[in-house]
Amino acid sequence: MDMKEIDSVPWTKHRNKPFCVIHHTTGQQHQCIQTLIVAPKQTTAQQQRSSNELVASHSPTSHKTHSSIIPMLLVAFLLVVSLVSPALSDSGHSLPANQTFHPASQLNKLKRVTDYLTKINKPAVKTIQSPDGDVIDCVPSHLQPAFDHPDLKGQKPLDSPERPKGLNTTDTVAKSFQLWAESGESCPEGTVPIRRTTEKDVLRAISIDRYGRKPVRHVRRDSSGSGHEHAVLFVNGDQYYGAKAGINVWAPQVTDQYEFSLSQIWVISGSFGHDLNTIEAGWQVSPDLYGDKNPRFFTYWTTDAYQATGCYNLLCSGFVQTNNRVAIGAAISPKSYYNGRQFDIGLMVWKDPKHGHWWLEFGSGLLVGYWPAFLFSHLRTHASMVQFGGEIVNSRSSGYHTATQMGSGHFAEEGFRKASYFRNLQVVDWDNNLLPLTNLHLLADHPNCYDIKQGRNNVWGTYFYYGGPGRNVKCP
């Protein structure tokens, strides 16, 4: 994966400030390559080569699109997306103090938790202790949870697919971008790193059966009372075969244990009823799911609107991991600071033209793995919508709007080093070409709490700033 430090904004008035790409290596000093970001009219050949170290150049391509057809369905989809699980009636971390009144039920619950942990935590050939308390198990790739799926039993991970055309592959892949890897420890070839699930993790969930899954919700046709708030850019009205973006990484404050803040890419197909298909990847802060407030790399998928299929990360059979350097669900390091150093991660999801599986790439060339095509109904062919942006849960647990932050916790107008951003947004077409966005739309359903502002230039392509503090004078 490429974890990049971004030291200048792509605006003309900042064109002479240095852009710094830091490749984080283990046990060595950071190496910083200085380049210049310049306005298109003033770009020299030398400066253009420097700009190309940051992003691949994509010439405008004719791209036929249809008119926007489902603006109301977008809101419906946003309201379907639900990442927060209600608390257990007991403490969430331990059994209730009066468990002696129901010894049989509590023993049964403990047995179910133990059975689940035995199933999900696979035998490891090596164990790595992360500084944040996580335990990373190096599991033989053919024993990972994906191969519990009846359609995958006895199989092995597939070879690398054909990447989309127009992809920049000149960047060096960073060696360290997650906390667990900063010690220099790594998983051997032929294994995949998996964050170990603990008893406390499971007991925080609404139920053992729903652990690692989003709660089932009815589709709403309006935005009132859902508790989920968004600032997103989306495209629809065409057939999409992938999406790519650079996502600024922050650690927003989450003020309630059962709320969350995330930034991600959604690849979507189907109606907005029970047949909704989604593939999702990005970073999130979720105390409920992980037990802390670190930004963590995560994935999700569903083929029935989060009812019975799909899960986060590797917490069920489905996603096949192929990489021994990325632990899905592990904390991302480093992160951005207000008015300080800025870091982002590159993410790309695309459909392999040969086998039809949906692959996930982290940075330049670091394949994480794939979602097999057979997992889906509508996404078995293509996506009908792609979405980029942020989402939070507002539980109103104190009777007023949450102060949970989105992105950096600052509004879009504050710009670089202060507001969070997505940059170099692209989609993949039917012929496996990376293309710039057309027919794009912005949506901030609670703009006094969280907003979004889009722009475009020759260095960052299509980009946007987004986010906000939540509760404030205009967002009571």
Side-chain angles (χ1 to χ4, degrees):
M1 163 194 153
D2 257 348
M3 167 69 77
K4 296 184 179 179
E5 179 180 354
I6 307 300
D7 266 348
S8 73
V9 64
W11 291 350
T12 301
K13 65 180 181 179
H14 294 288
R15 61 182 177 272
N16 292 322
K17 291 187 178 180
F19 168 85
C20 180
V21 178
I22 287 187
H23 301 298
H24 296 271
T25 58
T26 303
Q28 300 177 359
Q29 295 295 320
H30 297 332
Q31 296 180 354
C32 183
I33 302 171
Q34 296 286 346
T35 65
L36 291 178
I37 296 177
V38 299
K41 292 182 179 179
Q42 300 178 358
T43 299
T44 66
Q46 181 178 6
Q47 290 168 330
Q48 186 61 50
R49 286 194 298 271
S50 296
S51 295
N52 288 341
E53 293 180 15
L54 168 62
V55 293
S57 59
H58 301 286
S59 59
T61 305
S62 176
H63 185 52
K64 183 179 179 181
T65 61
H66 305 290
S67 60
S68 175
I69 55 174
I70 48 174
M72 289 304 294
L73 292 181
L74 170 76
V75 177
F77 164 71
L78 291 171
L79 299 176
V80 169
V81 177
S82 175
L83 302 179
V84 67
S85 299
L88 289 169
S89 57
D90 49 13
S91 68
H93 291 281
S94 61
L95 296 176
N98 64 346
Q99 62 178 329
T100 53
F101 292 106
H102 306 284
S105 62
Q106 296 301 340
L107 286 173
N108 181 61
K109 183 175 183 179
L110 282 175
K111 183 180 184 305
R112 292 185 63 208
V113 170
T114 300
D115 290 345
Y116 175 81
L117 293 176
T118 301
K119 177 182 177 182
I120 200 68
N121 290 324
K122 302 299 184 180
V125 300
K126 181 179 178 179
T127 296
I128 300 171
Q129 185 71 47
S130 175
D132 62 346
D134 281 357
V135 175
I136 305 299
D137 290 324
C138 301
V139 175
S141 59
H142 67 283
L143 296 181
Q144 64 181 290
F147 295 109
D148 290 340
H149 195 289
D151 289 337
L152 288 174
K153 278 190 178 297
Q155 297 186 28
K156 294 183 178 180
L158 296 175
D159 293 332
S160 301
E162 176 187 349
R163 285 174 167 79
K165 304 162 193 171
L167 180 67
N168 179 19
T169 58
T170 61
D171 292 328
T172 302
V173 176
K175 292 184 178 179
S176 177
F177 50 87
Q178 291 186 310
L179 279 174
W180 71 273
E182 289 187 353
S183 65
E185 293 282 350
S186 62
C187 284
E189 291 293 330
T191 70
V192 293
I194 301 179
R195 178 184 182 268
R196 184 182 297 177
T197 302
T198 68
E199 179 180 303
K200 288 184 177 181
D201 289 335
V202 180
L203 290 175
R204 279 193 304 270
I206 187 173
S207 71
I208 298 171
D209 292 336
R210 295 301 301 178
Y211 174 68
R213 302 177 188 270
K214 298 179 182 180
V216 178
R217 287 177 176 264
H218 296 293
V219 175
R220 293 286 299 274
R221 297 292 177 179
D222 60 83
S223 59
S224 61
S226 73
H228 293 255
E229 301 180 17
H230 314 82
V232 296
L233 181 152
F234 69 95
V235 292
N236 64 358
D238 209 335
Q239 296 181 0
Y240 306 100
Y241 294 81
K244 182 178 184 294
I247 307 179
N248 198 194
V249 178
W250 293 80
Q253 291 297 312
V254 175
T255 58
D256 185 285
Q257 180 180 349
Y258 302 105
E259 296 178 346
F260 73 86
S261 182
L262 66 78
S263 298
Q264 70 171 43
I265 298 172
W266 289 265
V267 177
I268 309 159
S269 194
S271 73
F272 289 82
H274 293 323
D275 65 339
L276 181 72
N277 288 204
T278 75
I279 288 172
E280 305 166 29
W283 61 261
Q284 66 179 166
V285 175
S286 177
D288 181 38
L289 188 59
Y290 304 107
D292 61 23
K293 296 186 178 181
N294 289 325
R296 293 171 176 270
F297 169 54
F298 82 98
T299 63
Y300 200 92
W301 68 276
T302 183
T303 191
D304 62 356
Y306 313 104
Q307 295 181 93
T309 63
C311 62
Y312 283 108
N313 309 331
L314 302 181
L315 295 174
C316 66
S317 58
F319 185 84
V320 180
Q321 183 158 337
T322 60
N323 192 280
N324 68 331
R325 291 170 50 191
V326 182
I328 306 175
I332 299 173
S333 176
K335 59 194 175 187
S336 302
Y337 289 92
Y338 184 79
N339 214 20
R341 300 195 303 171
Q342 300 299 298
F343 296 91
D344 61 33
I345 57 174
L347 286 180
M348 179 171 69
V349 176
W350 84 102
K351 191 173 180 60
D352 172 18
K354 183 176 181 180
H355 299 289
H357 306 312
W358 291 89
W359 281 80
L360 173 63
E361 182 175 287
F362 216 164
S364 298
L366 193 60
L367 291 177
V368 181
Y370 59 94
W371 291 270
F374 68 76
L375 294 175
F376 304 101
S377 52
H378 299 287
L379 278 177
R380 194 170 297 191
T381 55
H382 59 79
S384 58
M385 178 184 287
V386 173
Q387 186 172 293
F388 311 83
E391 178 183 358
I392 65 96
V393 159
N394 172 28
S395 66
R396 300 186 69 88
S397 59
S398 299
Y400 44 77
H401 195 284
T402 183
T404 285
Q405 300 173 336
M406 180 188 294
S408 68
H410 292 263
F411 288 113
E413 64 183 8
E414 294 194 40
F416 190 65
R417 289 196 181 94
K418 298 178 180 179
S420 188
Y421 62 81
F422 277 60
R423 65 180 177 93
N424 298 110
L425 275 60
Q426 296 173 285
V427 292
V428 180
D429 72 357
W430 66 273
D431 197 29
N432 207 32
N433 296 299
L434 272 167
L435 301 175
L437 303 188
T438 58
N439 194 34
L440 59 86
H441 310 269
L442 299 177
L443 174 67
D445 48 25
H446 292 75
N448 289 331
C449 310
Y450 316 98
D451 67 359
I452 184 169
K453 180 180 180 181
Q454 180 254 332
R456 178 173 177 79
N457 63 37
N458 283 1
V459 178
W460 276 17
T462 298
Y463 66 89
F464 62 85
Y465 291 103
Y466 71 103
R471 187 167 190 252
N472 63 79
V473 174
K474 295 183 179 180
C475 176

